[in-house]
Amino acid sequence: MQRREAQRSDDHVFRGSVMDSHLWWQHGVVYQIYPRSFQDSNGDGIGDLVGIASRLDYLEWLGIDAIWISPIYPSPMADFGYDVSDHTGIHPIFGTMDDFDRLLAEVHRRGMRLILDLVPNHTSDRHPWFEESRASRDNPKRDWYLWRDPGPEGRPPNNWLSVFGGSAWEWDERTGQYYYHAFLKEQPDLNWRNPAVQDAMLDVMRFWLDKGVDGFRVDVMWHLIKDAQFRDNPPNPHYQPDDRPYERLLPVYSTDQPEVHDIVARMRALLDTYGDRVMIGEIYLPIDKLVLYYGDEGRGAHLPFNFQLVVLPWNAGEIFAAVSTYEASLPPGGWPNWVLGNHDQPRIASRVGEEQARVAAMLLLTLRGTPTIYYGDELGMKDVPIPLDRVRDPQGINYENAAFSRDPQRTPMQWDAGPNAGFTTGEPWLPVAWDWRRRNVERLRDDPDSMLSLYRRLIELRRREPALSVGDYAPVAVSANVMAFLRSHGERRFLVALNLGHRPAILESTPIPVDGTIVVGTHVDREGMRIAERLELDGDEGLVVELD
Ligand code: NOJ
């Protein structure tokens, strides 16, 4: 505790006015906790708030600045909390409101921030709003959801598909209409064109902001508004047989409608009345559309999640180009951000391999912009295979395909070599990875060459060097497998060189001299060594070089 405060005040002196001109969510590192899987405190096999509070020492030691927790609200758990039945409560599985208040206070006492997941696009079908809405056609809340008459021969009103499989329309026998659900039928979409819905969700935001939460990660922000005429979506000419069937159509009319930006601006205006809170938007769109979510004159989301490192192939040329495109596309004042994984995506260590996951960590933590770390990635946790008959994720179950299940990336955090990796004394809700005796926090924290130590050194360097957190970015060179860029602030300049291939590579000619000292290497032995004239990288190696 004292250490952190001391470090913070040193930082302040060291960083001086640079950090003063940047906000916590700009120079900080965000860490995502999937609450079911982080730490169980009561032996029911499911993580909870008391469990999270008990692990704050670890997060502080790691050096992260803000925690984003996936939904903790009352929910029938059809989509593990993304089906909210009460937006201002706490699910008993996770604890009580007192537990939450204590967690928030403890996070703040340590100088960290807490970001909640806001799920405004849809509710649970058990939410009182929906129960009223479906009660009768003339219920005052009927128009809070998207009800439509059947199409010809009783068919759904249009061809829109659910992300989780099948038609996005569910027939309601009692009132003789269909309702729209972008996800499960247990997750009806709200009608955001209705001002009463907007007001109600803004009240939800106020509730948590009044409590002192530091911001929201807004679920499926680009889904909020749908085409007013409910036109059919066109076919996707690039559909591949291995894609989710949802991908058969392009969601041209069911997502990313121009009017969504007015909604985001309303949310942002509310946040602005609370000072330096943050709004992160979950948005899977190409860069040119994504950056519109910063809003006119920066009145949109502070951080529209940038998933380029999640969706692009692991290829130096493509990633290097995407960084430049992204940097060039940011509107004035738009702050960048980067993500390697989350609870919906395969883990980075499974996607690119254990060695490349180190290179990826270096990339995430040295690019310009706010990094978000997914819990366990700092250990190199991998996807855990889970057979179809044990799948819990509705996406895997609905498609009857374990390949579409998100359980593999949601397995329990690996804390120590004890039973269930120290996650629970009970039966864990998802299996613990078999490598837990070797891959766990207790063991890796003392190994200077571990992935965890690498994460910690990179985060520490960011905290110490404004060049790496808020400094400028400039591309330097790219070859078949290597990318190199410069981060600088004032006199201090750091070259980041990453080999995304497995074989050694040399950058023979670079537009700037590369002489300097290695301050962080994906392999600790390299640290302190000199680089002179040309850059030689081992396979799967990344280096941060402080230039002379
Ligand atoms: C995005 C969330 O990240 C995902 O986990 C969830 O299933 C959908 N939104 C629906 O809320």
Side-chain angles (χ1 to χ4, degrees), residues 84-100:
V84 179
S85 54
D86 172 6
H87 291 93
T88 55
I90 300 291
H91 195 301
I93 274 184
F94 297 125
T96 63
M97 193 58 89
D98 282 347
D99 294 335
F100 176 80

Side-chain angles (χ1 to χ4, degrees), residues 289-448:
K289 294 186 170 151
L290 175 72
V291 295
L292 299 179
Y293 284 75
Y294 285 101
D296 272 350
E297 295 173 14
R299 279 185 282 207
H302 296 100
L303 300 174
F305 257 148
N306 165 17
F307 294 124
Q308 288 299 302
L309 301 180
V310 171
V311 298
L312 285 178
W314 199 247
N315 168 291
E318 290 203 44
I319 292 177
F320 196 66
V323 176
S324 291
T325 307
Y326 179 63
E327 282 278 350
S329 309
L330 292 169
W335 190 254
N337 75 91
W338 297 93
V339 178
L340 285 178
N342 59 41
H343 62 292
D344 296 327
Q345 302 296 339
R347 283 199 181 265
I348 184 72
S350 288
R351 202 151 58 81
V352 303
E354 213 166 313
E355 289 304 307
Q356 276 298 313
R358 289 173 175 252
V359 177
M362 186 170 277
L363 179 63
L364 174 73
L365 292 162
T366 57
L367 281 171
R368 193 176 80 94
T370 308
T372 299
I373 298 171
Y374 183 50
Y375 86 95
D377 278 357
E378 76 277 22
L379 309 178
M381 276 175 64
K382 296 197 212 129
D383 292 340
V384 175
I386 294 170
L388 195 53
D389 60 341
R390 295 194 57 197
V391 167
R392 305 286 306 269
D393 175 29
Q395 182 166 261
I397 294 171
N398 276 15
Y399 283 126
E400 295 178 26
N401 185 342
F404 296 138
S405 163
R406 298 165 296 178
D407 294 340
Q409 57 264 35
R410 297 175 176 181
T411 62
M413 178 71 174
Q414 295 161 210
W415 294 105
D416 56 44
N420 299 319
F423 164 69
T424 181
T425 54
E427 182 63 28
W429 79 285
L430 283 177
V432 174
W434 58 264
D435 64 358
W436 96 94
R437 287 196 191 80
R438 185 170 54 84
R439 193 186 303 284
N440 63 66
V441 169
E442 201 173 83
R443 169 140 184 215
L444 300 189
R445 65 187 291 162
D446 296 326
D447 171 1

